[in-house]
Amino acid sequence: MSSEKLTKKQNILQVVKFVLFSASAAIIQTAVFALLNDVVRLQGWFLTYFPALVASVLWNFTFNRKYTFKSAANVPVAMLKVALFYCVFTPLSLWWGDALEKAGWLDYLVLAFTMIINLVTEFLYCRFFVYRNNMNNNDVAEKERQKQNRQDSL
C-alpha cells in the first residue's frame, strides 16, 4: 500500500496517532526541560530546550515511523530527512524562544507555543515528504491487513 491513496478513515487515524505519540513526546520534552530548567537550573533557552527537543524527537520518530506511518522505509534515510527538518526548525525555534523569553514570556508558555508549531509542521513534513510514498508497508500494516482479510472472509 506504499503508493495507494489513504482512505479518509486512515488519514484521520494517522493524525490521531501522530497527536497521541506527540503528546507522549511532549511529556518527555517537558520533563527534560523542567529537570534542566528547574532542578539543574541551567540558564538560557538553548541549554534547557535543545536537549529536551532531542529526547522528544528520538521518541517521536521511533513510534511514529512504526505505528503512525507504518513505514518500512530505510531508517537512516528517514532519520536523515527528519534531521533536515530539525536543521531548519531548531535554529528558528531557538531564535524565537530566546526572543520571547527576553520579551518576558513565561518559559513554559514559550515551550508550549513551540511544541504546537512543531506538532503541526512535523506532521505535514513527515506525511508529505518523509513517508509520502512509503506508508503502510511494515510488519504492523501487514498484520492489520491479514486481520482485515480474515474478518472480510467471515
Side-chain angles (χ1 to χ4, degrees):
M1 185 174 198
S2 61
S3 61
E4 292 179 27
K5 188 173 180 171
L6 297 179
T7 66
K8 182 178 180 179
K9 180 181 177 182
Q10 287 172 316
N11 277 309
I12 291 169
L13 191 56
Q14 198 175 65
V15 170
V16 169
K17 285 181 182 179
F18 192 87
V19 168
L20 292 174
F21 285 126
S22 294
S24 68
I27 292 168
I28 290 168
Q29 187 171 352
T30 303
V32 172
F33 181 85
L35 176 70
L36 297 175
N37 190 57
D38 300 332
V39 177
V40 178
R41 298 214 178 269
L42 293 177
Q43 297 298 309
W45 177 252
F46 177 84
L47 294 174
T48 54
Y49 170 73
F50 187 71
L53 177 66
V54 170
S56 74
V57 168
L58 292 173
W59 173 273
N60 214 19
F61 173 82
T62 302
F63 286 96
N64 278 313
R65 181 181 168 278
K66 183 164 178 99
Y67 298 107
T68 301
F69 300 107
K70 300 176 204 153
S71 179
N74 182 305
V75 174
V77 171
M79 281 186 125
L80 178 61
K81 289 177 178 180
V82 171
L84 290 173
F85 171 83
Y86 282 98
C87 283
V88 174
F89 181 83
T90 303
L92 287 173
S93 62
L94 288 167
W95 170 74
W96 77 59
D98 187 56
L100 292 173
E101 184 181 56
K102 286 178 180 171
W105 283 42
L106 182 65
D107 289 347
Y108 288 95
L109 182 59
V110 175
L111 182 63
F113 169 75
T114 302
M115 288 168 35
I116 290 167
I117 292 170
N118 188 5
L119 170 81
V120 173
T121 57
E122 185 180 7
F123 174 79
L124 295 172
Y125 182 83
C126 286
R127 172 66 176 84
F128 297 108
F129 179 67
V130 177
Y131 302 115
R132 176 185 67 226
N133 295 318
N134 205 336
M135 289 186 286
N136 293 339
N137 60 1
N138 70 3
D139 58 329
V140 173
E142 182 58 33
K143 287 177 187 174
E144 287 177 0
R145 274 192 291 282
Q146 289 173 1
K147 182 180 176 183
Q148 185 62 46
N149 289 339
R150 283 192 302 271
Q151 289 175 349
D152 290 348
S153 66
L154 296 178

